[in-house]
Amino acid sequence: MKVTMRLFKRKNNGVYYVEFDRGQIRSLKTKDEGEAKTLYTAIREEYLAGRLEQISGKCTKSLQDFYKEYLEIGPDLEDSKKTFYANRLALRKLRSIAGGQIKLDKISKKHIDILIAQSRRDKLSVASINNYIRHSKAILTRAKGWKYIKVNPLRNVRQIKTERKKPKDI
């Protein structure tokens, strides 16, 4: 396996850095050459072991793995069983659309648009569709809280607007 990593020291601050994957740079937060070489060796071993994604800060958790983990922990976390079931259903819908192997940070608005289109074809109500959207966002916020992703990829997704009806006169 070709290793594309290098250790270098910046002249302006004297701190050592490691560069890998076409310009991705991470600080080793040390000015000591010996310590920097030790850290670099450890990072190189992680790279060779296939765990560089964890070092580089990329998301390593798939939707399927997160789903399994949530099923184990979720019932004890949620205030009500209904919230747990709604979150679980939203995860199932996302998994059926995006696939289980997708990384959590790769889920996008496109997946929600597909969910909306499928739900409309199945003649689901706008309230049901908005429920899927709301719980999909909430469950990815949970993944962010668990530090699997840095930012919720659905944070800017909006629910479908509905007409507000006036109350009927009695």
Side-chain angles (χ1 to χ4, degrees):
M1 170 187 288
K2 183 180 177 187
V3 179
T4 55
M5 295 176 58
R6 74 180 181 104
L7 177 67
F8 68 96
K9 178 180 177 181
R10 287 206 173 141
K11 292 179 183 175
N12 63 344
N13 63 7
V15 175
Y16 283 89
Y17 292 81
V18 63
E19 179 182 18
F20 52 92
D21 284 345
R22 298 182 186 184
Q24 287 190 5
I25 297 171
R26 296 289 182 258
S27 172
L28 297 180
K29 299 177 183 170
T30 183
K31 294 182 179 183
D32 180 39
E33 183 178 3
E35 185 180 357
K37 286 182 179 180
T38 303
L39 289 170
Y40 176 75
T41 302
I43 291 171
R44 187 177 173 92
E45 288 173 7
E46 291 290 315
Y47 178 83
L48 292 172
R51 295 187 294 262
L52 186 62
E53 288 179 347
Q54 294 169 350
I55 296 167
S56 66
K58 293 179 184 175
C59 178
T60 59
K61 186 65 77 170
S62 70
L63 183 57
Q64 178 66 29
D65 293 340
F66 180 70
Y67 176 75
K68 287 178 183 177
E69 195 171 341
Y70 182 73
L71 287 183
E72 292 174 13
I73 301 170
D76 300 325
L77 294 174
E78 304 302 347
D79 293 335
S80 72
K81 285 184 178 182
K82 287 183 179 183
T83 301
F84 170 71
Y85 290 133
N87 286 345
R88 184 180 69 180
L89 183 59
L91 273 172
R92 282 184 186 163
K93 287 281 188 185
L94 274 177
R95 194 179 59 176
S96 71
I97 291 166
Q101 298 309 311
I102 190 169
K103 302 296 182 202
L104 292 174
D105 63 342
K106 300 297 182 197
I107 295 171
S108 67
K109 182 174 180 347
K110 178 182 177 186
H111 296 109
I112 296 298
D113 289 342
I114 293 169
L115 183 144
I116 291 169
Q118 283 182 354
S119 299
R120 285 186 170 158
R121 276 193 298 265
D122 294 341
K123 300 188 190 263
L124 292 179
S125 69
V126 172
S128 295
I129 297 169
N130 282 341
N131 198 37
Y132 289 138
I133 294 169
R134 188 170 50 255
H135 285 278
S136 296
K137 289 173 70 170
I139 202 66
L140 287 178
T141 299
R142 172 71 47 88
K144 180 183 173 207
W146 290 356
K147 305 231 185 279
Y148 292 142
I149 51 178
K150 291 182 181 180
V151 177
N152 183 342
L154 301 180
R155 68 190 177 282
N156 294 327
V157 173
R158 301 285 178 241
Q159 295 182 38
I160 300 170
K161 290 185 179 180
T162 59
E163 282 186 30
R164 296 203 176 225
K165 295 179 182 177
K166 293 182 180 180
K168 293 181 181 179
D169 291 331
I170 299 178

